[in-house]
Amino acid sequence: MAQEQTEAGAPDSTAVRTALWRALHLEVDPPPHVLADEIGLRLAAPGDGWRDRPDMDPRATSAFRAAMVARARFIEDLVAEQAASGVTQYVILGAGLDTFAQREPELAARLRIFEVDRHEPQLWKRRRLLELGYGLPDRLHLVPVDFEAGEDWLDRLTDAGFDPGQPAVIASTGVTMYLTKEATVATLRQTAGLAPGSTLAMTFLLPAELVDAADRHGLRRSEEGARASGTPFISFYSPQEMLATAREAGFADVRHISGAALGERYFASRTDGLRPSTGEDFLVATV
């Protein structure tokens, strides 16, 4: 039985699935690879049969796999761009099995990285990093936040050494669909109050009628799977709604980056037909 199913405190199935898709990209898709991440697979340690899972079918789930590596690559390109401009803080909300700090040591050495997640998965990840020999360098801070108890993630960040007076990159991917719109507004307002020059990159799901017809079946299956696992999708946004919400929260500059645009950016030159599914877009907002 897979480790994520048996070990107390392990990351949820969504985080594990994302890590496995990223590893599968290297195994079944030919170069050039959009993202090279085998470390998440090592952390998850799912067992020998993980490739036989229905949600790992190389053909049936190729568009989802491509979407996961595209959004991760977009975030990391943004971080590199901002670091080149002098930003030294990087915050990952809902970090899951993110492995940026381990995969990009040269860039990570120029940053203070804060991974925010629930208490139990953070303890689990800390132990796995130590077991695998990656350690916990001073630049990496695993910040546990008890969201159910109402803990404030920005307060916990500050306690961990984050400087709200200095600009930062804040990433939130694959989170907003599980939150009420009120909770997302609260996050936007907190982030808009950070130092000038801070940038938020946040994904959001489109309503079904705005998703390409070819991808609607996949979206319905994702919704059904999320509901069955006890974490239903509860919030969807049109790009116009998300941009307006960010402006009202206090951001000076807001942009919409579509999933199709990521496909053009990272997959246009491919000859194997690999393309990301549509339905999840980015808000990029700057203070």
Side-chain angles (χ1 to χ4, degrees):
M1 186 176 291
Q3 180 171 341
E4 72 266 23
Q5 295 175 316
T6 61
E7 188 170 349
D12 62 33
S13 60
T14 300
V16 172
R17 185 182 303 113
T18 297
L20 300 187
W21 272 337
R22 286 160 63 148
L24 198 65
H25 177 53
L26 290 177
E27 293 193 10
V28 303
D29 299 322
H33 294 117
V34 177
L35 188 83
D37 183 8
E38 296 175 302
I39 297 175
L41 173 61
R42 295 189 69 199
L43 286 172
D48 293 338
W50 70 272
R51 295 169 186 82
D52 299 323
R53 292 168 37 159
D55 59 355
M56 291 296 123
D57 182 283
R59 185 183 298 272
T61 64
S62 64
F64 294 113
R65 180 172 70 248
M68 292 302 101
V69 296
R71 79 182 189 188
R73 173 65 181 273
F74 177 76
I75 290 289
E76 295 183 11
D77 285 352
L78 176 65
V79 171
E81 173 189 291
Q82 293 298 305
S85 299
V87 174
T88 60
Q89 299 185 112
Y90 175 30
V91 178
I92 310 170
L93 300 179
L97 291 172
D98 190 274
T99 58
F100 169 79
Q102 293 76 43
R103 289 182 292 103
E104 300 290 345
E106 291 186 11
L107 179 54
R110 297 157 53 192
L111 300 165
R112 285 181 292 158
I113 302 167
F114 300 86
E115 297 188 10
V116 179
D117 213 326
R118 295 178 295 112
H119 281 249
E120 293 81 3
Q122 289 289 60
L123 292 172
W124 181 92
K125 187 174 185 180
R126 179 184 297 273
R127 182 176 58 76
R128 289 293 292 147
L129 288 171
L130 294 173
E131 288 175 349
L132 293 172
Y134 293 108
L136 288 165
D138 291 342
R139 67 177 184 270
L140 176 60
H141 307 270
L142 302 186
V143 185
V145 177
D146 189 344
F147 296 101
E148 293 181 357
E151 286 188 352
D152 187 293
W153 62 269
L154 188 52
D155 286 345
R156 299 287 78 77
L157 267 184
T158 303
D159 293 343
F162 177 78
D163 184 353
Q166 296 296 319
V169 176
I170 314 291
S172 174
T173 60
V175 175
T176 59
M177 68 280 278
Y178 301 110
L179 303 178
T180 64
K181 292 191 174 184
E182 291 77 12
T184 295
V185 167
T187 296
L188 288 170
R189 286 175 177 163
Q190 284 182 297
T191 311
L194 296 177
S198 295
T199 301
L200 169 70
M202 172 183 280
T203 61
F204 59 95
L205 285 187
L206 301 176
E209 64 270 18
L210 297 182
V211 177
D212 288 353
D215 293 328
R216 289 175 190 169
H217 177 67
L219 175 62
R220 285 194 297 270
R221 290 188 61 186
S222 295
E223 285 189 80
E224 292 166 359
R227 189 179 305 111
S229 65
T231 54
F233 298 162
I234 60 175
S235 294
F236 300 82
Y237 301 84
S238 70
Q240 295 78 11
E241 179 185 5
M242 181 55 82
L243 291 172
T245 301
R247 290 190 188 100
E248 291 169 5
F251 282 99
D253 177 64
V254 296
R255 289 183 290 143
H256 165 233
I257 308 293
S258 69
L262 294 185
E264 287 300 312
R265 179 179 299 197
Y266 298 119
F267 296 84
S269 62
R270 299 187 70 91
T271 59
D272 58 357
L274 184 66
R275 293 292 187 277
S277 60
T278 60
E280 185 177 55
D281 289 2
F282 264 101
L283 164 73
V284 179
T286 304
V287 180

